[in-house]
């Protein structure tokens, strides 16, 4: 499902940092992360983050990101 979990975690940390600060760079960070998330389940969950980021709804994106990370953690064991 995910290519490199430690690297992905660091990139998700960066996305979260940008979202917390309501920074436009979150859009580019999300786009970089899209290549790391493979279909089907993770990609579907990740798409909800992207929709909020693209709509500049950073608080909503942050909430979706936290749900996504919680799901990753529960799947990872």
């Amino acid at each position: 499902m995910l290519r490199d979990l430690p690297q992905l975690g660091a990139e998700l940390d960066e996305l979260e940092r940008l979202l917390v600060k309501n920074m436009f760079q979150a859009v580019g960070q999300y786009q970089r992360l899209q290549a790391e998330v493979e279909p089907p389940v993770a990609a579907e969950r990740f798409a909800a983050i992207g929709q909020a980021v693209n709509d500049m709804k950073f608080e909503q994106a942050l909430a979706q990101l936290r749900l996504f990370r919680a799901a990753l953690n529960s799947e990872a064991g």
Side-chain angles (χ1 to χ4, degrees), residues 52-76:
V53 167
N54 289 331
D55 292 343
M56 301 295 167
K57 296 179 180 176
F58 294 143
E59 284 187 38
Q60 182 179 341
L62 181 59
Q64 290 294 331
L65 174 61
R66 289 178 174 159
L67 289 172
F68 177 77
R69 293 188 86 164
L72 284 181
N73 290 335
S74 68
E75 289 174 10

Side-chain angles (χ1 to χ4, degrees), residues 21-54:
K21 294 183 176 184
N22 292 315
M23 296 182 73
F24 183 74
Q25 292 92 337
V27 175
Q29 181 66 13
Y30 173 81
Q31 290 170 345
R32 284 188 290 280
L33 279 163
Q34 280 182 305
E36 300 297 320
V37 179
E38 298 175 359
V41 177
E44 290 173 12
R45 291 178 183 156
F46 199 65
I49 301 166
Q51 183 64 49
V53 167
N54 289 331

